[in-house]
Amino acid sequence: ALNRVKLYRTGRVYSYDLRNEAHRRIPIAANDIIDVPQLNWLGNGGGHPGRKPPFANPARPGPTIHIKRPEWNPERPYVRVLDAVMAEGGDWQSLYRIQRDVHGWRADFYLDCIELLVHRGLPEAARRVARELAELDPQSAELLRRAARALRRLGAHEESTALFARILAMTPGDQVALHDAAMAAMHNGQQERAARLLWQAVLAGDDSYRRGRPLVYLEELNALLVRANLQPGPLGIDPRFIRHVPLDLRVVLEWDAEQCNVDLHVRNPLDIPFPPVHGPDVERHFRSGNVSRGYGPESYGATQAYPGTYTFEARFYGDWNEPGRS
């Protein structure tokens, strides 16, 4: 693996062989980028893992991560009408109740209204709408999950935690319910409970439609054990599954709607495709590799992130033949 190191300089890619003394003497500039295979990162594929990434340079700039919400672009008629009334300072509450009588049987109506209210700077009103979504069908785990995740995004962690616990009681042993409950416990400082729940999610039955999710949950578990300084044995976790890999960058994509498939695409600052995208979509992406088929989540990680700006995209497949992007 020593000859697979790459040096990126002034837009060109050079092979960088660590067995070559002349190569080892090449000074590394601040704007250079070194691509080291994971085997090298962990100690050249054998022996003891490396204590630090090769060519570590404190003066080298790190990656830039910009979190940007999509610009508000109301497309549905009820959202457009509500937005117009709110812009004029009108009685949007009365109009919302009228619209709810017509469209209130649809979960996306509440989610659209939540996003509009957040956009208009009314988080408490958005939380009330999320509570109404939870009351739409109290026996539907999917609807309760959408409401709980909306409340979590809105900062209502106590309410979202209670809903996640309710969903887990309704669907014991479900992978998604276990993972959601673990994330809630982690946020509330219950690290040992979170680790046990994540381990249960890893061991839970995995059908073909939801294949691959335990891998993402195992990543979460490994990171949690390191952050909280927990040992797997006392928690009933098989240590053979524990091997923490330090990352510069990790992105997890989740979505609320079941029975659908969304893939995570990542474009790095160099715009180098890995693996390349073929066919009519010739844009260059790093892809998550579709780790979990069907109802998420998807995960992407980089042990040594390139400096620059990263672009993250979600690609929705309504079926396996006609791709579309959102």
Side-chain angles (χ1 to χ4, degrees):
L2 293 176
N3 63 348
R4 295 206 302 270
V5 178
K6 302 294 182 182
L7 167 64
Y8 297 86
R9 175 174 290 174
T10 63
R12 297 186 61 185
V13 183
Y14 301 88
S15 295
Y16 201 72
D17 192 339
L18 292 180
R19 298 171 298 186
N20 189 316
E21 180 66 22
H23 285 192
R24 292 201 300 268
R25 292 181 179 179
I26 295 176
I28 304 302
N31 292 327
D32 287 342
I33 294 174
I34 302 298
D35 184 5
V36 183
Q38 180 173 323
L39 291 179
N40 286 18
W41 175 280
L42 296 175
N44 301 330
H48 300 290
R51 294 181 178 273
K52 63 180 181 179
F55 317 109
N57 187 343
R60 172 184 159 186
T64 301
I65 309 297
H66 297 288
I67 306 299
K68 179 182 178 182
R69 293 182 64 89
E71 295 182 1
W72 185 247
N73 183 24
E75 298 179 354
R76 301 195 174 177
Y78 55 78
V79 178
R80 189 178 299 113
V81 172
L82 280 171
D83 191 28
V85 171
M86 296 175 76
E88 297 174 356
D91 184 10
W92 65 268
Q93 294 96 331
S94 298
L95 179 59
Y96 164 76
R97 288 190 289 270
I98 294 173
Q99 297 279 19
R100 185 185 59 190
D101 291 340
V102 179
H103 305 284
W105 58 275
R106 297 167 46 179
D108 55 351
F109 166 78
Y110 299 92
L111 297 174
D112 289 336
C113 291
I114 288 171
E115 292 301 320
L116 173 60
L117 291 169
V118 171
H119 172 73
R120 285 293 178 183
L122 299 170
E124 181 53 42
R127 285 190 282 268
R128 289 198 300 269
V129 174
R131 297 182 194 111
E132 292 181 0
L133 173 58
E135 298 171 358
L136 181 61
D137 186 355
Q139 303 304 316
S140 171
E142 181 177 358
L143 286 179
L144 291 177
R145 180 176 296 114
R146 293 190 182 189
R149 290 183 175 177
L151 287 167
R152 183 175 60 187
R153 292 193 298 269
L154 294 168
H157 295 289
E158 184 175 343
E159 292 180 87
S160 65
T161 298
L163 280 181
F164 285 134
R166 181 175 167 186
I167 296 168
L168 183 57
M170 292 172 56
T171 57
D174 179 74
Q175 287 180 325
V176 178
L178 288 165
H179 177 258
D180 285 336
M183 294 298 102
M186 190 185 306
H187 179 85
N188 294 330
Q190 301 171 327
Q191 308 303 340
E192 292 189 3
R193 170 175 166 78
R196 289 191 176 95
L197 288 169
L198 282 173
W199 180 239
Q200 292 179 45
V202 171
L203 298 180
D206 189 19
D207 57 36
S208 60
Y209 183 73
R210 300 177 174 183
R211 183 179 58 207
R213 286 187 303 183
L215 295 176
V216 182
Y217 299 154
L218 196 58
E219 292 175 354
E220 298 277 4
L221 176 59
N222 274 272
L224 172 61
L225 292 176
V226 172
R227 289 196 309 268
N229 194 25
L230 298 174
Q231 296 300 318
L235 299 175
I237 299 171
D238 190 336
R240 293 175 297 178
F241 286 84
I242 303 304
R243 182 173 179 269
H244 179 63
V245 178
L247 298 177
D248 283 355
L249 172 65
R250 182 169 183 262
V251 179
V252 177
L253 169 67
E254 292 185 286
W255 56 94
D256 296 321
E258 297 189 20
Q259 304 301 319
C260 68
N261 183 30
V262 181
D263 290 335
L264 174 64
H265 286 233
V266 182
R267 181 181 298 172
N268 78 330
L270 297 180
D271 203 26
I272 297 175
F274 179 80
V277 179
H278 299 289
D281 184 6
V282 296
E283 295 181 2
R284 296 180 171 185
H285 297 282
F286 276 152
R287 301 173 61 186
S288 70
N290 196 23
V291 174
S292 61
R293 179 175 178 177
Y295 180 34
E298 292 287 350
S299 174
Y300 169 87
T303 55
Q304 191 171 14
Y306 297 122
T309 301
Y310 287 74
T311 301
F312 304 98
E313 297 177 345
R315 188 176 182 89
F316 168 72
Y317 289 87
D319 58 36
W320 293 109
N321 299 313
E322 297 295 334
R325 176 174 301 158
S326 59

